[in-house]
Amino acid sequence: MFGLAALAGCAPSNASSASSSAAPTPESNGTTPGATSDKPWEVAPAAIPEDEITETIESDVVVIGLGASGTYAATSALENGLSVTVLERNDTFNANGGSHFMFNSKCQLEQGEAVDTAVAVKDFLNIGNYKMDGSAVWAWANRSGEAADWFADVVEPYGLHPVLQHSDDVVIEKIYPGTILFIGGANEPTSAIDQDPYNGDLGLGFVPEIDLLGTLLEHIQGKGADVRFKHTSQQLVREEGGRVTAVIATDESGAYKKFVGTKGIVVATGSYSQDADMLNFFCPMVTHNPNGDKVAQFNMGDGSGIKQSLWVGGAMQNNGDHPPMMFWGSTNCIKNVMVNATGKRFIDENAGQSNMAAAQFNQPGSTMVALWNDAYAGQLPAISYRADDPSWAAKPEELLAKWNALVEEGVFMKADSLDEIAAAFELPADVLKQTVETYNGYCAAGEDLEFHKDPATLHELTGPFFATKYDIPASLACMGGLHVNAQSQVLTAESEPIEGLYAIGLAAGDFYANQYSTRFAGNSLGRCMTFGYLVGRQLAGLE
């Protein structure tokens, strides 16, 4: 929900990519095969000898990785008249989440929810202190609606169509309208309560990307794409400091095959979350925190596509402090009264998911406890998961039933006294009781003197109480990667394009800084769709 990149239960698609068929040269990457380094991801392996390659396959475009960005790029290239080979190291595609932030697509405009692009983009750039490539951000803003409408036409014959998700109007915590889902497939939800942001259930819920990517896979295979599962790319081939022409991959048996892309090679292999060295170096927000070793890394990317692009002369983005996409624990949190491990409030509970997670991460132990009561079910704003269908708003009685069921499951607790809650969650009882007393005073006065929460959302907290503890947020992905331009070309350290080599999705950098913001819910998949669409057109000579 809100653009959550939840794991979908299918294998991750981070097929490797790598260096040239001749030994890497100093001018291309500055490393020697087998060398040691304090940045081991930069050290190229020995080149794969030509006489070990068992087969050579040629197509216009080779896409490495069949996650969201790779699927979108393959579809765009194929639909624009190119022959396409896709290499995927797993036995299926990888689908995460399903929310795409796209600016002013048709389904958004039909709901009268146009977003002021100039205001929104400047907000996005301000969140990152302008430490990203503004041209790429503007390309997303200016072309994403077009991309969304184009993909809607592709999947319409298969019964899928886009709908706009909800948004809000609070200036500071605002979620901009623009987040779309493609629905109509087998995974479309049947219950509004499971999609309500206040239901408290931390399950994965609805993952519409499964339906969308599955449909696109069926579509491109039906139109002749050569999709190779269980093929793990090992090295990119670059001609003596010039063009990247091919990728060498191993099949399930371990045999080497060379896949030539006459128009280009597209690296769509995901992030580096599972590479401990890269994570520690590039994503210090997670690893340099006292609780960093307890942060679950949900993304299964090993950085292989990034690393092996470096081996042929590519560079990482200039901004070395990559933000994590971190908001798992706060996705469906109940936001009446939230306290940290000391029993004190620490934030305006209306803060957006990414802000809540960042604040939680910097509390003692990186945990928080939520408290609310039965009356809160009727005090919450009714939020429909779909802007076009108000019936997708949970009713108070549905929320209460959900909460009570979670009490039975042991996810929530219900207690008559704050002392019971304090004992259950190891909070100082006297501090907790003072916190609630003070909060109730703010409710009576209509003004929160500590965190200035919207007075309309100040609701007195009396027993019996619901409570639950949210543990350390998980990192769903690391939002940084290769140095690329707005055309998705991989760049050298001198910002020169490497001919024939492109990177999109989480393998591509220069798009995020400071924090992944859920004010643009689904912006990661929105970027994947937009630049997947654009790189296909670029390779076809249409851009």
Side-chain angles (χ1 to χ4, degrees):
M1 286 166 244
F2 291 92
L4 176 65
L7 294 183
C10 52
S13 83
N14 287 9
S16 308
S17 66
S19 89
S20 68
S21 59
T25 58
E27 63 268 24
S28 70
N29 56 39
T31 66
T32 301
T36 59
S37 171
D38 60 350
K39 298 178 182 179
W41 56 88
E42 294 182 348
V43 180
I48 297 168
E50 284 284 349
D51 61 8
E52 292 187 19
I53 295 172
T54 62
E55 185 180 3
T56 298
I57 300 95
E58 182 176 303
S59 58
D60 293 328
V61 179
V62 179
V63 177
I64 311 169
L66 196 61
S69 58
T71 304
Y72 300 144
T75 304
S76 178
L78 187 74
E79 286 289 302
N80 286 302
L82 302 180
S83 59
V84 176
T85 299
V86 183
L87 307 179
E88 169 53 52
R89 71 177 183 180
N90 298 294
D91 58 5
T92 187
F93 59 88
N94 178 40
N96 297 326
S99 301
H100 304 71
F101 194 94
M102 312 295 275
F103 287 79
N104 297 324
S105 62
K106 287 180 182 177
C107 70
Q108 178 182 357
L109 298 179
E110 287 169 357
Q111 297 301 314
E113 291 275 9
V115 65
D116 186 327
T117 301
V119 170
V121 170
K122 289 176 182 178
D123 189 8
F124 188 92
L125 292 169
N126 272 313
I127 289 168
N129 294 123
Y130 283 75
K131 293 187 290 187
M132 61 277 268
D133 182 352
S135 296
V137 175
W138 277 107
W140 165 54
N142 292 330
R143 303 295 298 277
S144 58
E146 170 191 337
D149 296 342
W150 186 87
F151 277 103
D153 289 341
V154 172
V155 300
E156 189 274 335
Y158 299 88
L160 299 185
H161 66 281
V163 295
L164 180 69
Q165 282 189 266
H166 52 75
S167 61
D168 66 43
D169 297 317
V170 181
V171 174
I172 299 301
E173 291 87 18
K174 183 176 182 65
I175 300 172
Y176 287 94
T179 305
I180 63 171
L181 304 166
F182 284 81
I183 66 169
N187 286 284
E188 183 176 343
T190 58
S191 170
I193 182 62
D194 290 334
Q195 308 311 317
D196 192 282
Y198 301 109
N199 72 33
D201 187 350
L202 294 183
L204 297 179
F206 175 35
V207 186
E209 195 76 348
I210 295 174
D211 293 331
L212 179 58
L213 297 192
T215 294
L216 291 174
L217 174 59
E218 177 185 351
H219 178 75
I220 64 174
Q221 286 181 311
K223 299 198 80 170
D226 181 4
V227 180
R228 305 278 183 118
F229 291 109
K230 294 291 187 180
H231 277 65
T232 303
S233 63
Q234 301 294 337
Q235 294 187 353
L236 292 169
V237 178
R238 186 178 184 188
E239 305 299 336
E240 279 305 313
R243 181 183 182 86
V244 170
T245 57
V247 55
I248 300 172
T250 49
D251 64 15
E252 192 169 7
S253 72
Y256 288 116
K257 300 177 183 178
K258 180 187 284 188
F259 294 88
V260 175
T262 59
K263 300 289 187 181
I265 309 296
V266 180
V267 176
T269 55
S271 185
Y272 53 78
S273 297
Q274 299 302 319
D275 184 298
D277 292 325
M278 295 184 76
L279 182 68
N280 183 62
F281 186 87
F282 290 113
C283 202
M285 188 184 300
V286 170
T287 58
H288 295 184
N289 182 281
N291 301 296
D293 61 344
K294 300 180 180 68
V295 177
Q297 298 295 322
F298 272 38
N299 186 280
M300 298 307 294
D302 61 3
S304 55
I306 295 172
K307 287 179 263 190
Q308 296 144 3
S309 296
L310 298 177
W311 299 341
V312 293
M316 291 295 279
Q317 65 182 55
N318 290 327
N319 171 30
D321 187 357
H322 303 174
M325 182 193 294
M326 181 178 284
F327 53 92
W328 186 257
S330 61
T331 302
N332 290 355
C333 62
I334 313 299
K335 297 185 173 184
N336 191 22
V337 175
M338 198 76 70
V339 300
N340 61 20
T342 71
K344 296 180 180 180
R345 291 176 69 214
F346 60 94
I347 196 170
D348 168 4
E349 289 87 351
N350 293 327
Q353 294 172 35
S354 51
N355 290 333
M356 179 71 77
Q360 176 192 345
F361 193 49
N362 287 285
Q363 299 308 304
S366 296
T367 63
M368 59 185 181
V369 173
L371 302 97
W372 69 105
N373 58 16
D374 284 8
Y376 197 53
Q379 295 163 345
L380 286 162
I383 293 182
S384 175
Y385 193 60
R386 288 173 50 180
D388 66 328
D389 188 352
S391 70
W392 279 89
K395 298 177 177 59
E397 58 270 23
E398 291 178 306
L399 285 169
L400 273 175
K402 182 78 172 187
W403 296 345
N404 284 312
L406 290 171
V407 170
E408 293 297 318
E409 294 174 22
V411 177
F412 292 169
M413 72 171 292
K414 199 166 189 180
D416 292 324
S417 72
L418 293 173
D419 286 309
E420 294 174 70
I421 294 170
F425 297 119
E426 299 181 326
L427 304 174
D430 55 340
V431 176
L432 179 62
K433 286 186 280 190
Q434 182 60 57
T435 295
V436 173
E437 181 181 339
T438 301
Y439 182 80
N440 285 339
Y442 297 153
C443 295
E447 184 179 10
D448 175 7
L449 297 178
E450 286 181 279
F451 299 102
H452 301 275
K453 187 175 180 179
D454 180 357
T457 63
L458 290 170
H459 303 296
E460 185 182 16
L461 181 59
T462 56
F465 307 95
F466 285 104
T468 192
K469 182 178 181 179
Y470 295 97
D471 289 322
I472 298 172
S475 175
L476 302 183
C478 299
M479 310 305 293
L482 291 163
H483 187 26
V484 297
N485 59 21
Q487 290 73 45
S488 300
Q489 293 173 295
V490 176
L491 306 178
T492 66
E494 295 73 36
S495 296
E496 295 294 330
I498 297 176
E499 189 179 0
L501 183 60
Y502 301 80
I504 56 176
L506 293 179
D510 296 297
F511 204 84
Y512 297 98
N514 299 339
Q515 182 171 325
Y516 178 88
S517 177
T518 50
R519 294 182 70 166
F520 304 83
N523 61 81
S524 179
L525 283 179
R527 177 177 71 141
C528 289
M529 179 171 279
T530 302
F531 288 99
Y533 167 74
L534 291 175
V535 80
R537 291 177 54 83
Q538 172 103 0
L539 291 164
L542 300 176
E543 294 290 324

